[in-house]
Amino acid sequence: MSRPSPQQFDAIEAGYDRDPARSHSLRAEAYTDALWFTLDQREIIRKSWQWVCHAEKLRAPGSYVTAEVGGHPIVVVRDQDGVLRAFYNVCKHRAHPVLLGEGVVQRIVCPYHAWRYRLDGQLAGAPHTSSLKDFATSEIRLTAVQVEEFCAFVFVNLDPNAQPLRTLSGDLEPEMRHWAPDVGQLTFAHRLTYDIRSNWKNVVDNFLECYHCPVAHRDFCTLVDMKTYKVTTHGIYSSHMADAGRTANSAYDTSKAKVRTHAVWWLWPNTCLMRYPGRGSMIVLHIIPVGPDRTLETYDFFLETPEPDELERSAIEYLDKTLQVEDIALVENVQRGMATPAFEQGRIVYDPEGSGKSEHALHHFHGLVLDAYERGRQL
């Protein structure tokens, strides 16, 4: 497998300083070179907790969902004893996916040759194998993946040695439950999807700072009170908090909103959880790396009811037709600029007071990326 050279590992750290007031950003090649994208997949995406769905999809015994993590297919299932389990979605016979889409099953039956597995992953039977020598169903089972229900959402981790998300994330769950106590009762209502011509780290960078908001998101700056915008970094997450604007705004009507706080959390490396002013809600932004210059995004809206109300429809339309249009143009333009000889890296803009116009959360993310790269160097 191709990998960066020792010299490239040394060079990628150049300019970054643990002190954000002295630091430059990640170097351009981290966003443009396929070698670093390959390392992103191997050392970041496949070794971190990845969002799959709201726990509501997996409450019933036999319920399952399929997903892809770092290019690998996985399936998450609730077994008959209520235990949440996850596996590589790969049959032990000929590597076909054992389940497709989502639904409810009594057992797992591969649609290729009908090998049958119990919901705990153990092979229960395989047609026409009675004459095979040294073949025991008790010795064959689907390859397990770590899975965890965290703050009403389901996450998986392909790294068998990873610590539990609840351990790694410190105070994130109590913080989220303080601001969104109804998160477990919310239900799926809507999804937005985007295909973006930019590296995934550029998308994260853009999300993590509001230094650009007064210039690029003028409507957003009327939705929230920018004077109250505060960004705090923690071990593997950052919180972005602001009060709703106190006057009429140009984004969407919040005059009847019962939730008056803009509460946002970024969870390493590519999950963003947001609670906008309105009714009780949680928006999950999942940033999915596809290639060095291509990223998929999904925005899943979990609301009090399966159908958005008038305020929520306006919020979804604003996010889709205005905010995302603005942000996608920004990150795609940045990606093009990074591919030119004119850019190597930029300076981090830092406010020690932690305002929304500071880039310290972006700097925090870059430090975690470089830590992952350093671990990759040792392999």
Side-chain angles (χ1 to χ4, degrees):
M1 178 185 294
S2 60
R3 55 183 282 112
S5 67
Q7 294 77 20
Q8 286 173 309
F9 274 111
D10 290 340
I12 202 68
E13 298 178 359
Y16 181 84
D17 192 291
R18 294 292 167 178
D19 180 356
R22 298 178 181 274
S23 186
H24 285 75
S25 64
L26 282 177
R27 297 182 61 82
E29 55 265 34
Y31 301 85
T32 60
D33 193 323
L35 286 176
W36 295 110
F37 178 78
T38 299
L39 201 66
D40 287 348
Q41 291 283 64
R42 190 177 75 229
E43 293 300 315
I44 297 177
I45 302 302
R46 295 175 191 163
K47 291 187 177 180
S48 60
W49 286 95
Q50 293 291 307
W51 181 84
V52 176
C53 65
H54 193 287
E56 70 169 351
K57 279 193 175 182
L58 294 165
R59 286 176 179 151
S63 55
Y64 75 91
V65 298
T66 59
E68 187 174 287
V69 173
H72 293 327
I74 61 100
V75 58
V76 185
V77 62
R78 181 80 65 180
D79 74 14
Q80 297 295 347
D81 295 323
V83 178
L84 195 62
R85 299 182 183 273
F87 310 98
Y88 282 95
N89 192 11
V90 177
C91 183
K92 289 299 184 177
H93 175 224
R94 292 278 295 283
H96 194 279
V98 293
L99 287 170
L100 304 174
E102 59 186 63
V104 180
V105 293
Q106 295 297 315
R107 58 184 178 177
I108 298 169
V109 181
C110 179
Y112 195 6
H113 297 99
W115 278 37
R116 303 182 306 279
Y117 300 86
R118 297 200 299 261
L119 298 183
D120 64 1
Q122 177 68 54
L123 183 66
H128 311 298
T129 56
S130 59
S131 62
L132 298 185
K133 298 177 181 179
D134 302 320
F135 179 83
T137 57
S138 62
E139 297 176 358
I140 300 173
R141 61 186 306 115
L142 299 174
T143 300
V145 169
Q146 289 208 67
V147 62
E148 186 172 337
E149 185 173 331
F150 177 83
C151 207
F153 294 104
V154 175
F155 290 79
V156 298
N157 195 318
L158 302 187
D159 181 2
N161 299 314
Q163 295 183 62
L165 177 55
R166 194 163 275 104
T167 300
L168 291 172
S169 60
D171 292 331
L172 176 58
E173 181 164 24
E175 185 177 327
M176 284 183 60
R177 290 193 180 277
H178 170 78
W179 292 104
D182 55 356
V183 63
Q185 288 71 54
L186 300 176
T187 189
F188 175 77
H190 194 74
R191 168 173 278 196
L192 299 172
T193 61
Y194 306 94
D195 193 334
I196 304 172
R197 296 185 300 276
S198 179
N199 185 271
W200 73 279
K201 296 188 293 296
N202 263 330
V203 178
V204 174
D205 286 352
N206 182 72
F207 182 88
L208 288 176
E209 51 91 357
C210 218
Y211 184 39
H212 69 282
C213 292
V215 180
H217 300 316
R218 295 183 180 179
D219 296 315
F220 178 81
C221 291
T222 66
L223 177 65
V224 302
D225 182 356
M226 290 300 294
K227 293 179 181 179
T228 67
Y229 204 121
K230 179 81 171 178
V231 179
T232 309
T233 61
H234 307 269
I236 64 164
Y237 77 97
S238 56
S239 60
H240 307 244
M241 312 294 290
D243 295 337
R246 294 183 174 86
T247 59
N249 70 80
S250 55
Y252 62 92
D253 183 11
T254 58
S255 60
K256 298 180 181 179
K258 67 179 183 180
V259 173
R260 303 295 303 172
T261 301
H262 173 76
V264 174
W265 299 270
W266 167 79
L267 174 62
W268 163 261
N270 58 333
T271 301
C272 309
L273 305 127
M274 300 171 275
R275 190 168 171 94
Y276 275 25
R279 287 196 299 174
S281 67
M282 187 65 71
I283 308 167
V284 180
L285 164 58
H286 194 202
I287 299 167
I288 306 165
V290 178
D293 58 357
R294 185 176 174 219
T295 301
L296 299 181
E297 280 187 338
T298 58
Y299 275 83
D300 285 297
F301 293 77
F302 299 94
L303 308 175
E304 294 180 9
T305 58
E307 291 295 327
D309 65 12
E310 182 178 358
L311 185 157
E312 290 158 348
R313 287 194 296 272
S314 297
I316 292 169
E317 182 177 9
Y318 162 68
L319 196 154
D320 184 36
K321 303 300 184 184
T322 301
L323 193 61
Q324 275 298 95
V325 172
E326 294 166 346
D327 273 332
I328 290 172
L330 292 172
V331 298
E332 291 185 341
N333 282 331
V334 166
Q335 187 70 27
R336 283 190 286 270
M338 285 184 168
T340 72
F343 185 83
E344 293 182 354
Q345 62 189 151
R347 190 63 186 260
I348 295 293
V349 174
Y350 174 57
D351 174 7
E353 298 299 317
S355 76
K357 297 178 184 178
S358 174
E359 295 180 322
H360 60 286
L362 182 150
H363 172 265
H364 170 242
F365 168 55
H366 291 181
L368 293 172
V369 169
L370 291 174
D371 289 344
Y373 287 174
E374 185 61 29
R375 291 191 294 271
R377 180 206 289 258
Q378 310 305 322
L379 297 179

